[in-house]
């Protein structure tokens, strides 16, 4: 049963790799994530909500038309007295309706300020959507290359099992000849078991990676495909210096919010100014006691609040403090983004250097394992040296594969920091 582990590992790689008829590129994974992500769908609703607020702000430029109607039933009709006599002035029961058209003529810019505030907040929502999309893309890149890396780790672990079983066979033969002690054989058995555990851990890493990728792309949990390893070493030249943050969605969103705060301050400062208006109205009330049952009138006038306590001044101070808060948030975000960019660039450079070191170390590790095996078979070396040599080779390969993963993720983080992912 134990001897079936390596074939099963190879079969596992086949089922999750080239044996799959369907392929999935990174670009396709990103497109699927954009289409199916519930988080992005929620963010897109925020964009639509903000856009509708612009229409709400613009509506005050248009006339407001109201219509009201009803039927009144009174216990007694209203009347007035002449000495001991009284005369009704209305019917006890009557229908009525009111029709009016109200148009703001001039409000000292309040409508324009509200419209500008709504427009900039709509732009901020759109930029925030872009930032959410970039975050999703980074998660997909990490999951995608995480699967590719885990598949290579499965192969490396399976190769180690083959090498350890070969070593155990050699030790068994030498033990049967009485050349080595039982300790060497037990050590080989333990090392084979440890290598098999590494295979199982790597396979579990692949499965978990697929579960995450399928969640991000909206695929079924059991979906599997051949991932295209289109890994390219990123160019490190010309990436030093201050980053260009003009495409970073979150920064653009905060800049738009600060602009909206400026409109809010202007609107708060003129909120107590008068409003000039025109109104056309028709009021009808059925009343058999009077001659004119409907009144049609055109009114031109103004309305102004004379006193509302400290509310007006408080609204201005509140708007100013809101702008100051958002400006601080903007400066902090710009600094954090520069830090994010610098750290990603450092990780990118280190990962590239690690790959160059690991490439040479793998070649050296293969040669070291061959020499150590030859020394052991010639009774010059020890079993521990063989095990250590194989462990070192596996670790070197693992470091190489993880360095490749770190390189791709770091390159994606650099692009994420500048909003270009």
């Amino acid at each position: 049963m134990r001897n079936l582990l390596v074939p099963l590992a190879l079969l596992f790689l086949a089922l999750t790799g080239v044996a799959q008829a369907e392929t999935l590129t990174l670009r396709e994974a990103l497109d699927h994530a954009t289409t199916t992500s519930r988080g992005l769908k929620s963010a897109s609703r925020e964009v639509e909500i903000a856009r509708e607020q612009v229409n709400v702000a613009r509506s005050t430029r248009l006339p407001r038309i109201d219509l009201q109607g009803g039927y009144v039933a009174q216990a007694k009709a209203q009347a007035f007295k002449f000495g001991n006599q009284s005369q009704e002035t209305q019917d006890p029961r009557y229908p009525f309706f009111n029709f009016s058209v109200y148009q703001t003529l001039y409000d000292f810019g309040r409508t324009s300020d509200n419209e500008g505030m709504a427009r900039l907040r709509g732009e901020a929502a759109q930029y925030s959507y872009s930032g959410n999309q970039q975050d999703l893309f980074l998660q997909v890149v990490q999951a995608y290359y995480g699967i590719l890396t885990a598949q290579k780790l499965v192969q490396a672990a399976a190769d180690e099992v083959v090498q350890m079983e070969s070593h155990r066979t050699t030790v068994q033969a030498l033990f049967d000849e009485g050349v080595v002690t039982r300790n060497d054989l037990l050590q080989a058995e333990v090392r084979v078991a440890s290598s098999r555990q590494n295979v199982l851990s790597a396979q579990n890493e692949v499965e978990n990676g697929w579960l995450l990728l399928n969640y991000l792309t909206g695929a079924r949990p059991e979906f599997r495909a051949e991932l295209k390893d289109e890994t390219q070493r990123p160019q490190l030249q010309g990436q030093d210096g201050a980053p260009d943050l003009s495409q970073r969605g979150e920064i653009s969103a905060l800049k738009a919010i600060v602009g909206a705060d400026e409109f809010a301050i202007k609107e708060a400062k003129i909120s107590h100014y008068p409003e000039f208006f025109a109104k056309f109205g028709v009021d009808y009330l059925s009343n058999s006691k009077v001659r004119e049952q409907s009144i049609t009138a055109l009114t031109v006038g103004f309305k102004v609040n004379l006193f509302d306590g400290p509310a007006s001044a408080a609204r201005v101070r509140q708007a100013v403090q809101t702008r100051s808060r958002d400006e601080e948030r903007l400066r902090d975000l710009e600094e954090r983004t520069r830090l994010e960019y610098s750290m990603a660039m450092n990780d990118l450079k280190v990962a590239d250097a690690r790959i160059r070191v690991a490439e040479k170390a793998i070649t050296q590790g293969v040669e070291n394992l061959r020499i150590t095996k030859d020394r052991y078979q010639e009774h010059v070396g020890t079993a521990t040296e063989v095990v250590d040599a194989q462990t070192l080779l596996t670790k070197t390969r693992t470091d190489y594969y993880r360095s490749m993963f770190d390189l791709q993720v770091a390159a994606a983080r650099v692009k994420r920091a500048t909003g270009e992912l």
Side-chain angles (χ1 to χ4, degrees):
M1 184 67 180
R2 294 179 178 177
N3 294 331
L4 292 177
L5 185 59
V6 174
L8 287 176
L10 297 176
L11 178 62
F12 176 84
L13 288 173
L15 291 176
T16 59
V18 296
Q20 286 285 346
E22 187 172 0
T23 61
L24 181 67
T25 65
L26 178 59
R27 182 71 264 169
E28 291 172 342
L30 294 174
D31 291 340
H32 291 328
T34 302
T35 304
T36 62
S37 172
R38 296 189 181 277
L40 285 185
K41 289 180 180 179
S42 175
S44 68
R45 298 293 185 269
E46 294 290 341
V47 176
E48 295 301 323
I49 292 172
R51 286 175 178 171
E52 292 303 324
Q53 187 59 38
V54 176
N55 293 329
V56 173
R58 288 174 178 170
S59 63
T60 56
R61 295 184 182 276
L62 301 175
R64 173 170 175 164
I65 303 176
D66 294 311
L67 177 65
Q68 181 182 4
Y71 185 84
V72 177
Q74 302 179 114
K76 291 183 178 180
Q78 189 178 31
F80 63 89
K81 292 182 177 181
F82 285 100
N84 294 328
Q85 298 182 353
S86 63
Q87 176 64 43
E88 294 182 348
T89 60
Q90 61 177 192
D91 297 330
R93 296 174 180 80
Y94 56 88
F96 73 94
F97 83 88
N98 309 103
F99 174 80
S100 64
V101 179
Y102 183 95
Q103 175 66 58
T104 299
L105 299 178
Y106 185 67
D107 60 2
F108 292 88
R110 276 195 295 270
T111 298
S112 298
D113 291 337
N114 287 326
E115 185 178 338
M117 185 165 38
R119 175 177 52 80
L120 286 175
R121 286 177 178 170
E123 292 179 5
Q126 183 63 53
Y127 288 130
S128 296
Y129 174 86
S130 174
N132 292 333
Q133 186 180 50
Q134 293 276 299
D135 283 336
L136 176 64
F137 284 178
L138 181 58
Q139 294 179 54
V140 172
V141 169
Q142 290 174 322
Y144 190 92
Y145 283 110
I147 294 173
L148 288 172
T149 300
Q151 289 175 342
K152 293 175 181 177
L153 294 180
V154 170
Q155 183 62 60
D159 291 342
E160 184 182 82
V161 172
V162 172
Q163 293 294 334
M164 288 294 99
E165 289 182 339
S166 174
H167 172 62
R168 182 188 59 183
T169 301
T170 300
V171 174
Q172 182 69 57
L174 295 177
F175 176 74
D176 292 341
E177 295 175 3
V179 177
V180 298
T181 65
R182 183 169 177 76
N183 287 342
D184 287 0
L185 182 59
L186 292 175
Q187 186 184 53
E189 290 284 357
V190 171
R191 194 63 187 87
V192 168
S194 177
S195 299
R196 287 171 177 162
Q197 290 181 8
N198 292 337
V199 171
L200 295 174
S201 297
Q203 290 173 343
N204 183 60
E205 193 173 340
V206 172
E207 286 300 313
N208 288 340
W210 270 112
L211 291 175
L212 176 58
L213 183 62
N214 289 339
Y215 165 75
L216 294 173
T217 58
R220 304 182 312 276
E222 64 274 10
F223 172 78
R224 299 294 181 271
E226 177 189 354
L227 301 185
K228 292 296 184 181
D229 190 357
E230 301 172 345
T231 302
Q232 295 181 354
R233 298 277 281 272
Q235 299 294 326
L236 301 181
Q237 293 80 9
Q239 296 190 8
D240 295 327
D244 179 12
L245 305 181
S246 60
Q247 298 186 53
R248 177 78 182 224
E250 295 90 334
I251 292 179
S252 298
L254 267 178
K255 287 181 178 179
I257 289 176
V258 171
D261 292 339
E262 294 288 349
F263 281 111
I265 293 174
K266 291 172 61 180
E267 194 276 335
K269 288 181 177 180
I270 62 175
S271 61
H272 61 283
Y273 285 17
E275 175 185 327
F276 295 91
F277 67 90
K279 180 179 179 181
F280 171 78
V282 177
D283 295 320
Y284 170 80
L285 189 149
S286 178
N287 190 351
S288 61
K289 310 296 183 182
V290 297
R291 184 182 62 186
E292 297 294 339
Q293 299 191 32
S294 63
I295 299 175
T296 302
L298 176 64
T299 304
V300 177
F302 73 95
K303 59 181 180 178
V304 62
N305 173 259
L306 297 179
F307 181 73
D308 61 356
S312 296
R315 281 194 290 268
V316 174
R317 291 193 299 269
Q318 185 182 52
V320 172
Q321 291 298 326
T322 299
R323 180 188 61 184
S324 299
R325 179 201 63 189
D326 292 336
E327 287 175 341
E328 289 296 332
R329 287 179 176 176
L330 175 59
R331 285 189 286 267
D332 179 65
L333 179 58
E334 289 175 338
E335 289 300 320
R336 285 190 288 112
T337 302
R338 293 187 183 96
L339 174 62
E340 178 184 335
Y341 176 84
S342 298
M343 294 176 66
M345 279 298 304
N346 288 339
D347 291 343
L348 181 65
K349 294 175 182 178
V350 171
D352 185 69
R354 285 168 54 199
I355 290 173
R356 298 180 191 280
V357 173
E359 287 173 339
K360 183 177 180 180
I362 289 176
T363 303
Q364 295 172 335
V366 171
E367 180 64 14
N368 178 55
L369 178 61
R370 185 190 65 79
I371 294 174
T372 305
K373 281 185 173 181
D374 291 342
R375 283 169 52 81
Y376 182 72
Q377 292 176 359
E378 294 173 1
H379 315 303
V380 178
T382 64
T384 301
E385 291 176 345
V386 176
V387 172
D388 290 345
Q390 179 58 54
T391 302
L392 181 61
L393 177 59
T394 302
K395 183 179 183 304
T396 302
R397 286 174 173 167
T398 300
D399 289 343
Y400 173 76
Y401 296 141
R402 294 200 181 279
S403 296
M404 291 295 295
F405 170 77
D406 291 342
L407 181 73
Q408 296 303 319
V409 171
R413 286 169 50 209
V414 169
K415 293 181 178 180
R416 172 67 186 97
T418 56
E420 299 173 346
L421 183 59

